[in-house]
Amino acid sequence: MIDTAVELLGNEPVDAFSMDEVAKRSGASRPLLYHYFSSKQELIRAVVAHESATLAGSIDSAKLPEALDAYLDYVESHPHGYRLLHGGPLQADREVKTTVEQTRTLIENEVISHLGIEKPTELTRLAVRGWTGYVIAVCMEWAGSDSTRRDEIHDLLIQALPTPTNASSIKSQTAAATPNRSE
């Protein structure tokens, strides 16, 4: 039932999503579906929680490149679920938004850990938050598409990754290029 709901929610507007269609396509009776989920919103919340847990569980890896590979595995194997998590219309529900945000924060913390940063500054957290937003935007375009190879997506995302070294070099380059106003 959850997988059917993920596919339906990932392919059609939320307004068109119906419990009857989930029951029909999953081969479950309507009463059985309502036994597990008392409302359409409860089913949607269960779907988001399921997909968020699947995504978060997929990135449990010792090294960042492997964690990113696992993330891309999820995107490839769950394109409907990925679009569902990051597509927007479900975010109007506070519980759904909280679940998605908790998953994103968990992923960001994993990235910071993989970068070997023990005490991240606010600037580091913002840089990683921006990078995860970039990852989401790229993967939303790529999910379910055959136009770009996976290895190209992986390389693109790794190259865009903020690192403490990059941040330091950018800061020193900016300082060197900026004239001193007190002179």
Side-chain angles (χ1 to χ4, degrees), residues 121-134:
T121 65
E122 185 62 25
L123 189 59
T124 299
R125 287 197 175 281
L126 286 171
V128 171
R129 180 110 179 130
W131 182 75
T132 58
Y134 175 71

Side-chain angles (χ1 to χ4, degrees), residues 6-69:
V6 168
E7 185 177 340
L8 289 170
L9 282 166
N11 282 321
E12 59 188 48
V14 177
D15 296 347
F17 178 72
S18 81
M19 296 286 278
D20 290 337
E21 191 64 23
V22 172
K24 182 175 129 184
R25 289 194 189 188
S26 68
S29 68
R30 193 169 191 260
L32 180 63
L33 182 61
Y34 277 98
H35 172 75
Y36 289 107
F37 309 102
S38 63
S39 67
K40 179 167 92 168
Q41 196 59 40
E42 188 178 318
L43 176 57
I44 289 170
R45 289 173 180 158
V47 164
V48 168
H50 171 78
E51 287 301 310
S52 289
T54 302
L55 176 57
S58 74
I59 63 158
D60 192 14
S61 177
K63 296 184 180 175
L64 190 58
E66 289 83 9
L68 182 57
D69 278 334

Side-chain angles (χ1 to χ4, degrees), residues 47-95:
V47 164
V48 168
H50 171 78
E51 287 301 310
S52 289
T54 302
L55 176 57
S58 74
I59 63 158
D60 192 14
S61 177
K63 296 184 180 175
L64 190 58
E66 289 83 9
L68 182 57
D69 278 334
Y71 188 94
L72 295 175
D73 284 344
Y74 172 84
V75 175
E76 276 187 317
S77 62
H78 296 85
H80 303 298
Y82 192 78
R83 283 192 297 272
L84 171 70
L85 290 176
H86 301 294
L90 298 182
Q91 307 296 323
D93 180 284
R94 185 182 308 249
E95 189 174 319

Side-chain angles (χ1 to χ4, degrees), residues 40-180:
K40 179 167 92 168
Q41 196 59 40
E42 188 178 318
L43 176 57
I44 289 170
R45 289 173 180 158
V47 164
V48 168
H50 171 78
E51 287 301 310
S52 289
T54 302
L55 176 57
S58 74
I59 63 158
D60 192 14
S61 177
K63 296 184 180 175
L64 190 58
E66 289 83 9
L68 182 57
D69 278 334
Y71 188 94
L72 295 175
D73 284 344
Y74 172 84
V75 175
E76 276 187 317
S77 62
H78 296 85
H80 303 298
Y82 192 78
R83 283 192 297 272
L84 171 70
L85 290 176
H86 301 294
L90 298 182
Q91 307 296 323
D93 180 284
R94 185 182 308 249
E95 189 174 319
V96 166
K97 185 176 182 175
T98 298
T99 300
V100 172
E101 183 59 32
Q102 287 171 340
T103 303
R104 184 172 177 179
T105 300
L106 181 132
I107 290 169
E108 290 166 356
N109 289 336
E110 286 290 317
V111 170
I112 289 169
S113 175
H114 288 312
L115 290 173
I117 302 169
E118 293 179 22
K119 295 180 181 176
T121 65
E122 185 62 25
L123 189 59
T124 299
R125 287 197 175 281
L126 286 171
V128 171
R129 180 110 179 130
W131 182 75
T132 58
Y134 175 71
V135 169
I136 291 167
V138 168
C139 288
M140 285 291 288
E141 290 291 322
W142 179 64
S145 165
D146 294 330
S147 61
T148 307
R149 292 188 341 253
R150 177 201 169 110
D151 62 321
E152 293 173 320
I153 296 295
H154 182 272
D155 291 348
L156 175 72
L157 297 175
I158 288 292
Q159 290 170 8
L161 184 67
T163 62
T165 305
N166 287 347
S168 298
S169 67
I170 290 169
K171 185 177 179 183
S172 59
Q173 289 171 10
T174 303
T178 304
N180 186 341

